[in-house]
Amino acid sequence: MDPVTTTLGAAGLALSAAASYLSPAAWKPLSIRQLGARCRSQRVLVLTYDDGPGPAVTTALLDLLREFDAPATFFVSGERVPLHRDVATKLVRQGHEVGCHGYHHLHAWKNWPGPLRDDFARGCAAAVTCGASDPISFRPPFGKLVFPTWLYSRHRGTRLAWWTHDSGDSFAELPARSPALDLLDEGGGVALLHDLDRSAPRNEFVLETTRALLEGAREKGLRVVRFRDLFEARDDASP
Ligand SMILES: [Zn+2]
């Protein structure tokens, strides 16, 4: 085989391998559209928090959620669970859902399948120690998903948990108004927030946005539910 044909063949092989590895990225927008439709048909707000627990923010959130008698979903970072086990175990005890967010927060596009699988399994095991029960909701770290992670997720029986509205709490510059508040006018959605302890302005932004979402949901007549409740209640409301 001549060198040009060999090079083209190798490039084609590399491209098809990359396409199959990254193919779940192509489904993500469709999955998010379906998730938004599900939320609007049920008229629900789902509050989700990633990367915690943080001893200060998570504890303050638990007080705030209790004030509104509202449940939320916490996608815990496996490596933080042993550091803040007292806070982590309060989550399920207080009626919230604990989901898997991996152990070391690996970026799926920058790691090999073996380490990704191990991190996924270890993260789910950490969530179980907090009281998480099957089917566990899984939020891919950085929102990045590759085919092997999707396969592990199917094999483990977890449910992929995207979001429809980013609160903006991790933007380089905090927004004056959280874009997640738009979901109130749209009739529902899944808000993405983070509950690891960061700078005082960011911690405050998370708490203020949560309060604004809860007050808005009350005003607009939206129910506040956990992520898993979207799929386990009201069969008549499924899109
Ligand atoms: Zn994260």
Side-chain angles (χ1 to χ4, degrees), residues 82-239:
L83 302 176
H84 311 296
R85 187 164 294 285
D86 53 335
V87 183
T89 52
K90 267 189 200 165
L91 299 172
V92 170
R93 267 210 323 270
Q94 295 195 9
H96 305 295
E97 176 185 8
V98 168
C100 172
H101 195 46
Y103 199 85
H104 288 305
H105 207 268
L106 299 185
H107 193 300
W109 294 6
K110 299 177 182 172
N111 286 275
W112 294 105
L116 282 175
R117 180 196 56 223
D118 294 347
D119 193 79
F120 173 86
R122 214 174 155 197
C124 287
V128 168
T129 68
C130 302
S133 55
D134 289 324
I136 293 180
S137 303
F138 169 58
R139 169 150 302 156
F142 301 101
K144 298 291 187 257
L145 186 66
V146 290
F147 189 65
T149 324
W150 177 81
L151 269 183
Y152 307 146
S153 176
R154 297 280 294 182
H155 177 70
R156 173 66 180 73
T158 56
R159 180 181 281 135
L160 282 172
W162 300 117
W163 62 92
T164 62
H165 292 72
D166 190 330
S167 67
D169 67 0
S170 294
F171 290 179
E173 194 170 328
L174 285 173
R177 174 188 181 277
S178 170
L181 295 173
D182 291 348
L183 72 81
L184 297 169
D185 291 326
E186 293 167 16
V190 178
L192 166 72
L193 299 109
H194 296 82
D195 67 323
L196 70 168
D197 289 348
R198 295 178 289 182
S199 65
R202 283 194 194 274
N203 292 349
E204 202 47 46
F205 184 86
V206 170
L207 292 165
E208 282 174 5
T209 301
T210 299
R211 180 176 286 282
L213 283 166
L214 289 167
E215 287 175 348
R218 187 178 274 177
E219 196 178 300
K220 303 269 184 186
L222 301 180
R223 291 182 304 125
V224 184
V225 301
R226 304 169 303 175
F227 189 85
R228 68 185 306 157
D229 298 327
L230 280 171
F231 303 88
E232 293 178 359
R234 296 166 53 122
D235 288 344
D236 58 324
S238 300

